[in-house]
Amino acid sequence: MNRSILLKSAWCALLVPLLSCNLLKVTDDEGSTTGRGAKRFDPYQGLNSGAVRLSLQYINGCAFLPNGQMVAKNGVNVPYPDVCITPLAQNPLTLSPPQGTMQILSDTQYFLNQFSVSETVVNQHNNPNDQTAALAWIKNQSVFAGLDWTNVNQGPDEWSFYSLAGAVEDCWTREVQFGNANWQKVKDDTITVEVLDETGTPRASQTYQRSELLASSPYAGHSRFSWRSENLKPPRFPGDKDPGTVTGFAGGLDQSPITRTIARVDMVGSTNPFKVLRVPRLSGPGALRATWSQLPDKPFYFPVTYVIPDERPSSCTDDAGNPVQCNPGLDSRLVFAPPKEGSFYKPGEDVSVYVDLRDSAGAHLHSRDLLPSAREIIGGQSNGLITFIPNVIATVTENDSISNVAIAGPLQDLQVLGNPSDKPQFFAKPFPFATLDDATLTGLTPGLIDYKWPTRQTFTLPANAKPGTYVALVKFNRASMGERVAKLNPFFFQVGQDEPTTYPGNVGNCQICHRGVLSLDNLRHGLSVDHIESCKVCHHYDTDTVGRTQEMVHRIHMNSPSYPANRADCTVCHLTRKSTERPSLALCGSCHISQHGDEFFQIAFNQRGTPSKFGNCAQTCHGGDQLPASHILPAK
């Protein structure tokens, strides 16, 4: 079953964000060498960190859980609605009583790792030639109406391509962003989190600087104020704002037009996990109250159920299969069955793997043989394990909930491809776990909502597999006890030889910014800087849809006000000259939005063949010795 074919129109326009970068003051003993960098102590991981990540998400007036449930009021004495707009419904505007429960461990330390407030309306602002009404709604009617919107203006007006497994070749999303408002320039605002008991009385509090929460870029799927038009055909000429909508494919889902106005503040990634909020020893109903200093009269309430640690149910298991209490955290593991003969696998050989997901204390989060079903995930019965839920992604525009196992190799041959039509290296996805929830909401496969995917999978190496070291990337997500965490771990195995091989070493230096509490281990998918060249394993498929490594990394960093380096100095991240020899409209457009005017307009919307927006510059004027002269490139 192809996961992409199952995508419904409501999530045809999704962003697949990558990483965020910031340069903050860090201690000198963390190292600042160039190149690959060294692993550093991760203050987030394990019970020794002393605190649990706290994720507070609020959507359209209600507290929200990453499995798609809206949080119920739970009888606590705070102002909170009786009905919520649930993103799990086929119609995102459906009102229903919330059923989710947000559990918080009492007598436990937390630190604020995410503060997210969103409000979205669908098909209310439908004029593609005038976004005045959308901006007026954001300024005057959304939850952010009390902010200082002076000097707000229209920002980028961009088109993004989304392929449905090749079945719909011209599915585009146009997004117009708004920015530069006075409130967005404030640097010293704060977020105060209070622990309330059942009567609404504060029992503990902690105040966090906004600067202590790292990521907020719209290009990484975080804060955004925008108007979107989804399921579009590509524009026919410069200035074409209404090219019509795609028609879908025979037997598939309706590709109806959708407009979406989004107002979202999302700050993620604590730079100070040691500033803790200690929850007193409470039990039963209560609430957390978050007050943003820029909206002091509009506090956000998150109904919770306090759970005394010793009274947690024993829903996890130890290595012997005995029931034990679950802890926060997530450790994604993959165990390989040994080769049939010798110490390495041979080309054409079947390789068996076992997916093993554990909490931070090593307890098993699922049964030995099966992962939870989609119904258990969206019903809150999966020990917090979550995965791709399309309507949730379409609502919050951040899709770091995709879980999967992806395999590629050999390491020495991994490279970013210039064109989608280029033949990739060996990519195998023996464990398409994300298929579960895609199919759950489409209804194309009756009964799949209750299917439990096996933890043991087998894939076959290609008969012509090159010798070397291969990588298996295991990424899963968990939302439990107030914590929202993604963890990706790499596992390596040998094919055709015992001698290990390594990455090409074309890019690196991430640890210049991303070290200590800002390390890549603690941001996004939880992958160490040592394996940055394996990002392309998942973020490059046989289409040029959103999420391609080279485009997203450039867009995020080149548009970040926190990126400290000269944007024309490619040597900051590129370690070899060869890695800079693929300039293209997609990459150069990260900085040069109006490059060459409309001269290459049609090429920018050409998704297949040569030239295309991902390779045309290198294929024509800017290849070899004709690279852009204004950039600083590696000498070799």
Side-chain angles (χ1 to χ4, degrees), residues 142-298:
S142 76
V143 69
F144 304 105
L147 296 173
D148 182 0
W149 288 98
T150 306
N151 294 319
V152 66
N153 55 34
Q154 180 176 315
D157 186 343
E158 300 174 315
W159 295 75
S160 300
F161 174 70
Y162 299 80
S163 170
L164 299 186
V168 178
E169 290 292 335
D170 55 359
C171 186
W172 291 78
T173 287
R174 177 188 170 212
E175 182 166 22
V176 178
Q177 297 188 34
F178 309 104
N180 200 47
N182 283 1
W183 73 265
Q184 293 174 302
K185 304 171 188 176
V186 175
K187 303 296 184 182
D188 59 352
D189 50 343
T190 62
I191 301 164
T192 298
V193 181
E194 298 171 276
V195 177
L196 309 181
D197 61 21
E198 187 173 4
T199 67
T201 303
R203 301 290 298 274
S205 69
Q206 182 62 270
T207 297
Y208 296 87
Q209 300 292 321
R210 184 181 180 185
S211 59
E212 291 175 326
L213 291 169
L214 177 60
S216 62
S217 168
Y219 293 101
H222 298 301
S223 298
R224 69 188 331 113
F225 291 85
S226 67
W227 173 88
R228 294 164 65 109
S229 184
E230 304 170 5
N231 303 336
L232 300 178
K233 294 179 179 179
R236 298 158 293 183
F237 50 82
D240 184 10
K241 307 299 184 184
D242 191 15
T245 56
V246 297
T247 57
F249 51 94
L253 296 165
D254 177 39
Q255 301 297 317
S256 57
I258 294 176
T259 60
R260 204 183 303 268
T261 306
I262 301 169
R264 173 172 166 83
V265 166
D266 183 40
M267 310 173 208
V268 183
S270 173
T271 65
N272 189 0
F274 309 105
K275 179 186 282 188
V276 298
L277 170 70
R278 183 164 191 87
V279 179
R281 191 174 179 83
L282 300 171
S283 180
L288 300 179
R289 179 168 61 198
T291 305
W292 184 19
S293 62
Q294 293 210 53
L295 290 173
D297 300 325
K298 295 182 179 179

Side-chain angles (χ1 to χ4, degrees), residues 463-543:
N464 61 346
K466 296 181 180 180
T469 302
Y470 285 61
V471 63
L473 299 175
V474 187
K475 174 180 176 288
F476 279 82
N477 300 265
R478 189 177 182 220
S480 177
M481 306 174 201
E483 180 188 60
R484 165 74 172 86
V485 60
K487 186 57 182 175
L488 190 160
N489 284 322
F491 295 85
F492 301 93
F493 60 99
Q494 293 299 122
V495 175
Q497 64 182 42
D498 284 321
E499 183 180 358
T501 57
T502 61
Y503 297 111
N506 288 319
V507 294
N509 286 343
C510 303
Q511 76 286 348
I512 294 177
C513 297
H514 295 289
R515 49 193 174 131
V517 294
L518 308 182
S519 70
L520 292 184
D521 301 69
N522 303 327
L523 297 175
R524 274 300 167 196
H525 306 333
L527 180 66
S528 168
V529 64
D530 298 285
H531 310 292
I532 188 65
E533 285 188 281
S534 63
C535 290
K536 62 179 72 74
V537 174
C538 294
H539 289 277
H540 182 89
Y541 300 109
D542 60 349
T543 73

Side-chain angles (χ1 to χ4, degrees), residues 397-411:
T397 68
E398 187 276 310
N399 63 348
D400 195 26
S401 60
I402 297 175
S403 298
N404 214 339
V405 174
I407 297 174
L411 296 187

